[in-house]
Every structure is written in C-alpha cells, then in structure tokens.
C-alpha cells in the first residue's frame, strides 16, 4: 500500500453550468441551471449561485423552477462539454499514463506512475500547476484532491470545492474519516446507509468500531469486508487507464406520452441509427441489440436479441430493434424509448446476404446510406425544417453576429448577442423563420490574443502546437496562475489546503 499522496482526483466545478457562464458574459455570477426543460426534465448541473436556492443535480426541473424562478434555464450543449473535457483529459494524460476518467468532468490520475510526483511537495506542485493550466486552457476551474488512495483523493476533492486543492497527509487518514458519515464511503448508498443507521452506525468511526465480523454478519461477506477496510482508510484499488466499454446506447424521454404505434416505430428506428453512429464513432460493433421501453405507468421493459456475429450495420440494428418492439404492448402510451448494443467487439462480421439482396434491388447497403451522416446531430439539427431554437444554444445572425437563444415561442425567438470574450450583449427578438438567423457552433471558451500565439502556457490543450509535458520541474517554483492570462472569465477563486484531523 502506497503512503505518499500521489493519487490525484480532479472534479471540475459545476462543469456544465460553469461552461455556460464562461460562454455567456451576461450569466456570470448568476444562477444557471442546465438540464431538460420539458415537464419531465431533470437538472443536470446547477451553478453554485443556483445551489444557494436548494437546486441540485437530478432534481425535477419543475421543482428547480419553483425554488429558483429567476435562474437561467438552459438546454445542455454536450458537444461543447465534450470538447472542453478532452482538453482537460489531455492535460491529465501529460502528467501520467494512468488516467482513469469517470465522466466528462471527473478523473483519477496516478502521479507516481508518470514520474510527476513522489512525495507531498512534488504532488502539491504538480496539482497546483494542473489547476493553473486548466484555467488557462479552458477558462474554468477544477477542484483537486491528493491522497494515498482513490477513496481518500475523492474525499479530498470534495473538501476542496469549489476551486481548491486539498492534500490529505499520510498518517491522518483514520482521524479524518472517523467523524464523517458512512455515506461518504464508496458503495454506501441510501439502502445500506439506512440499514447501518438502524444498527446505530452513522459515522465511519462507528463503522470501524463495530468490527469486521459484525459488518460481515450485517451486510454479507464481500460488502462487510470491503466497508471495514475502507473504514480503516485501506483502499488498494489501482488507477485503471482504460475501462472496457460494455455497451453503447441512446435513449429519449418524451414530454408527452406517445400513443401512436407508427410514431413509436419511427422513434425506435431513429434511436437505432443514433446508436450505430455512436458505435461507429467508438470504432466498435456488437452482437446483442437491446430495446428499452418505459410505459405510461413507469413500468420499464427491456428486450434483447443476440445476432450470429457483431455488426455496426444500421439496417441490421434497426430491424432487430423493430422485431423486439413487436413483442411490446405500447397501447397505453410510452414515455421513454432506448436502443443499445452490447457484446462489443472491435471488428464486424458483415451481413453478406443482406448486401447481396440490396445489390439485387439496386439499393445501396445500409452502411453506405448513412456513411455521410454526422456522428450525432444536435436538437437544432435533428429536424431543421421545424426551426427549433433550444434555450442556451448558439446562433449567428447575418447582421448582428454570434449570440445565444434566451427563449422562443409564439413564432418568435429572443437572442442575446455576445461571445465568451465580449461584455454582456444586447437582446433582440426575431421571427423563428428569419432566414438571417441560423444555428451556429459553440465558440471556444478561451481566446488567445495575438501576443500569446507564440507562447501559450505549457500544456495548453489540443489547440497548442506542442502539448508539452505539463510536469513542473521539481526544483523550480510553480506559480498558481498561468504565465499569461487568457481572455476568459468564469469567476471564482480558491486556494490550497492541507487536511488535518
């Protein structure tokens, strides 16, 4: 078991909401909520300003609106979030070959494996430099925890929020954990927490005092052993650089239940095509097609079919999903549909019979028919004829330039014209079918000025000509700020801390 605090956990602060604030000057310092805006939508991320009102992730959007009626409510822009996430992951991979992403905004890094850190001083130096580089490259902030294990590093990053750094010193782990709630430990959810509470165990210290035998009796052998070890601050889980993808899937929740069987069939076919695009984007194929249907009464049905060999043919996946749908009763209404592919492989067994049949009919094979389709269309691109204008999404006007949608309805769309590098912009209203107004791609959150073009901060992301190592010289003093400040403002300030009991 390692003793040096060389496991780093990074958690970007209110990632989706912070990216929106950095992108939209008029929203900086204000309550921002990102998520599904329909009657059944849920909150994906809330800014810290919105959290003051009790808004949090996974909360029903209707409840969030009651708590924070004056907040800005925006539809997610996952394309932007993925781009920023990749910039951050590149910086992490410059520190070590062992980077374990947990989501778009969270990852573990083994600094010792990359030769970046070997003790408290070098670990703190590397983490400080990382935070400065993330700010320089993305304009956003991240909280960093350092410890000798993954469990403790994650706890440290939670203590560091927002925009801070916390290092848990070796030898202080048990004293630090003792007063914490048992829910702090990985694997202790609401059910296990309630079970332990009924037994009079509410803190990690009480968990350790209960003893291994008692925990095994209460929770079973595997869970009991694991929780007792964690209560003693023992966590030998390694940082795993690559996690095997087990499945690829897409799903949609509908604001109004779908009763029309033809519409359901069309939605399943559309989801199958989206799933295949995502599958191909990952360079994978799969043998098992999975259909998920959540009906009007919240009952969820899952059906699957295993093919003779792996495929990434959209026609094959569509047909299989259609066959699975035939056995599902949807007369009462459907609120959610999903299509997935599992049993993944990195090769494809072509359906030669299907191709031969298509050739005989003078048709292009299904894979050729969709070869030029984009990897994934945004809501505004899904049905361009409808001129949909999701709140928060980017637009460009022939006269006024770049802006974002504040809202739309009754044949009108309201746009605020501003960029990540401008002052708060003016608001104008147009007809939804105004030909001068078109959807646009998101702008980068950071704009490098001409004087910075020759020497952006080391490790400054994928747009830099040379990523660099991102590893500070152990003999030098690293500044907690980048050498040159980018033209981007996302607010917030933080600091470094050392956790002591």
């Amino acid at each position: 078991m390692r003793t040096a605090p060389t496991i780093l956990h990074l958690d970007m602060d209110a990632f989706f909401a912070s990216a929106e604030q950095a992108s939209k000057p008029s929203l900086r310092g204000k309550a921002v909520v990102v998520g599904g805006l329909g009657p059944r939508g849920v909150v994906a991320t809330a800014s810290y300003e919105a959290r003051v009102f009790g808004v949090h992730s996974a909360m029903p959007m209707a409840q969030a609106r009651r708590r924070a009626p004056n907040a800005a409510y925006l539809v997610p822009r996952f394309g932007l979030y993925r781009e920023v996430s990749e910039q951050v992951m590149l910086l992490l991979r410059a520190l070590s070959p062992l980077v374990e992403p947990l989501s778009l905004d969270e990852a573990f890094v083994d600094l010792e494996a990359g030769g970046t850190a070997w003790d408290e001083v070098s670990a703190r130096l590397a983490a400080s430099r990382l935070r400065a580089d993330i700010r320089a490259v993305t304009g956003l902030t991240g909280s960093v925890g350092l410890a000798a294990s993954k469990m403790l590093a994650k706890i440290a990053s939670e203590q560091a929020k927002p925009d801070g750094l916390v290092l848990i010193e070796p030898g202080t782990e048990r004293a630090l954990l003792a007063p914490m709630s048992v829910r702090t430990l990985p694997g202790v959810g609401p059910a296990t927490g309630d079970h332990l509470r009924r037994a009079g165990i509410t803190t990690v210290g009480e968990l350790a005092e209960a003893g291994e035998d008692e925990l095994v009796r209460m929770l079973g052998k595997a869970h009991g052993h694991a929780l007792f070890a964690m209560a003693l601050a023992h966590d030998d889980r390694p940082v795993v650089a690559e996690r095997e993808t087990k499945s690829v899937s897409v799903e949609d929740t509908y604001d109004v239940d779908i009763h029309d069987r033809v519409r359901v069939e069309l939605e399943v076919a559309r989801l199958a095509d989206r799933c295949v695009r995502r599958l191909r984007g990952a360079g994978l194929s799969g043998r098992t097609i999975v259909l998920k249907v959540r009906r009007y009464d919240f009952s969820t049905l899952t059906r699957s079919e295993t093919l003779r060999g792996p495929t990434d043919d959209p026609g094959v996946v569509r047909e299989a999903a259609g066959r699975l749908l035939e056995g599902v009763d949807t007369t009462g209404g459907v609120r959610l549909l999903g299509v997935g592919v599992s049993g993944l492989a990195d090769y494809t067994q072509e359906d030669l019979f299907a191709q031969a049949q298509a050739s005989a009919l003078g048709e292009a094979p299904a894979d050729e028919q969709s070869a030029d389709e984009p990897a994934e269309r945004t809501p505004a691109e899904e049905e361009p004829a409808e001129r949909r204008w999701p709140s928060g999404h980017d637009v460009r006007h022939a006269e006024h330039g770049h802006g974002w949608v504040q809202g739309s309805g009754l044949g009108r769309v309201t746009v605020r014209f501003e960029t990540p590098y401008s002052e708060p912009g003016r608001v104008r209203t147009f007809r939804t079918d105004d030909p001068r107004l078109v959807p646009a791609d998101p702008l980068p959150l950071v704009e490098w000025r001409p004087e910075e073009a020759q020497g952006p901060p080391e490790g400054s992301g994928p747009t830099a000509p040379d990523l660099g190592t991102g590893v500070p010289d152990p003999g030098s003093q690293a500044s907690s700020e980048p050498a040159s400040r980018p033209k981007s403002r996302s607010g917030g300030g933080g600091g470094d801390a050392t956790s002591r009991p």
Side-chain angles (χ1 to χ4, degrees):
M1 180 178 177
R2 80 175 71 200
T3 57
T6 54
I7 299 295
L8 180 149
H9 180 262
L10 169 71
D11 196 351
M12 300 295 290
D13 299 320
F15 182 44
F16 296 174
S18 293
E20 297 297 343
Q21 289 176 317
S23 179
K24 302 172 173 63
S26 58
L27 296 184
R28 291 169 189 162
K30 299 181 180 179
V32 174
V33 181
V34 180
L37 303 189
R40 294 169 178 168
V42 297
V43 175
T45 309
S47 69
Y48 286 98
E49 296 85 355
R51 296 180 191 187
V52 172
F53 299 98
V55 180
H56 57 78
S57 299
M59 171 182 285
M61 192 61 76
Q63 184 178 355
R65 288 184 183 276
R66 289 194 296 269
R67 294 191 177 189
N70 296 320
Y73 289 87
L74 307 176
V75 175
R77 295 186 295 163
F78 288 110
L80 171 65
Y81 309 150
R82 280 192 289 267
E83 289 179 9
V84 176
S85 175
E86 186 55 32
Q87 290 178 317
V88 173
M89 295 303 165
L90 283 172
L91 292 174
L92 297 183
R93 294 185 185 106
L95 293 176
S96 172
L98 292 184
V99 176
E100 183 178 340
L102 304 180
S103 61
L104 289 176
D105 61 342
E106 185 180 4
F108 287 108
V109 184
D110 189 332
L111 298 178
E112 186 175 357
T116 309
W118 48 91
D119 59 12
E120 296 177 40
V121 175
S122 58
R124 186 184 295 277
L125 192 65
S128 296
R129 178 61 179 273
L130 172 66
R131 292 178 59 226
D133 284 349
I134 289 174
R135 177 113 185 192
V137 172
T138 69
L140 306 180
T141 63
S143 296
V144 173
L146 290 165
S149 69
K150 291 169 69 172
M151 176 186 74
L152 292 168
K154 184 172 176 62
I155 290 173
S157 69
E158 287 295 323
Q159 293 181 333
K161 282 187 168 294
D163 190 20
L165 189 163
V166 168
L167 182 148
I168 297 179
E169 293 184 335
T172 67
E173 296 93 345
R174 288 193 62 180
L176 175 74
L177 286 174
M180 292 184 176
S181 167
V182 293
R183 293 289 304 276
T184 304
L185 300 180
V188 181
T192 302
D194 287 344
H195 189 52
L196 292 170
R197 180 181 53 79
R198 289 193 294 269
I201 300 173
T202 59
T203 68
V204 177
E206 292 169 345
L207 199 65
E209 291 174 2
E212 187 172 16
D213 292 341
E214 178 63 15
L215 294 179
V216 169
R217 184 188 67 79
M218 291 174 56
L219 305 172
K221 187 174 181 179
H223 204 182
H225 281 310
L227 279 189
F228 182 69
M230 287 188 287
L232 299 181
H234 297 161
D235 178 19
D236 295 329
R237 293 175 300 161
V239 176
V240 180
E242 296 293 338
R243 288 174 169 237
E244 182 181 357
T245 303
K246 296 182 179 180
S247 65
V248 173
S249 63
V250 296
E251 63 181 41
D252 277 345
T253 300
Y254 304 99
D255 293 342
V256 178
D257 290 347
I258 301 175
H259 293 83
D260 183 356
R261 181 70 179 193
V262 174
R263 169 80 187 283
V264 173
E265 293 170 352
L266 290 173
E267 288 294 315
V268 168
R270 184 179 63 85
L271 289 168
D273 288 344
R274 280 177 53 194
C275 183
V276 169
R277 289 197 295 269
R278 186 170 294 182
L279 192 72
R280 287 180 168 183
L284 298 170
S285 60
R287 297 181 66 235
T288 301
I289 314 304
V290 181
L291 175 70
K292 178 179 178 180
V293 180
R294 181 167 296 154
R295 299 189 289 192
Y296 70 98
D297 58 357
F298 287 89
S299 61
T300 302
L301 304 177
T302 302
R303 300 288 185 267
S304 64
E305 175 181 322
T306 299
L307 308 175
R308 290 176 296 176
T311 185
D312 65 353
D313 186 321
V316 174
V317 176
R318 278 197 303 268
E319 291 176 8
R323 287 194 297 271
L324 294 170
L325 180 63
E326 291 175 0
V328 178
D329 180 11
T330 62
T331 53
V334 171
R335 60 185 294 119
L336 177 148
L337 290 169
V339 174
V341 178
S342 60
L344 302 181
D346 57 3
Y347 66 94
T348 304
Q349 179 173 306
E350 302 292 351
D351 189 340
L352 300 179
F353 177 77
Q355 291 188 13
Q357 186 179 46
S359 298
L361 295 174
E363 301 172 352
D367 57 344
E368 293 181 10
Q369 291 172 350
S370 60
D372 295 330
E373 292 183 8
E376 185 170 350
R377 291 176 287 185
T378 64
E381 297 170 326
E382 197 74 51
E383 297 178 18
E386 294 185 3
R387 302 285 285 176
R388 297 168 58 190
W389 303 104
S391 297
H393 280 227
D394 299 84
V395 295
R396 179 167 292 279
H397 189 272
E399 178 183 350
H400 303 291
H402 191 93
W404 58 277
V405 176
Q406 280 200 328
S408 64
L410 301 178
R412 301 287 179 178
V413 55
T414 301
V415 178
R416 184 180 287 273
F417 290 97
E418 60 186 7
T419 73
Y421 339 115
S422 71
E423 297 300 319
R426 296 185 62 181
V427 176
R428 298 180 183 273
T429 300
F430 308 91
R431 291 178 58 89
T432 55
D433 59 356
D434 190 328
R436 298 173 298 171
L437 188 68
V438 296
D441 292 329
L443 296 175
L445 300 184
V446 171
E447 177 187 50
W448 292 104
R449 295 187 290 259
E451 63 269 22
E452 294 169 343
Q454 295 181 352
E458 182 181 355
S460 59
T463 58
D466 182 4
L467 179 64
T469 63
V471 181
D473 181 351
S476 67
Q477 292 295 321
S479 169
S480 61
E481 297 294 332
S484 54
R485 174 68 64 189
K487 286 183 66 178
S488 176
R489 299 173 295 278
S490 57
D496 298 357
T498 300
S499 179
R500 292 185 173 86

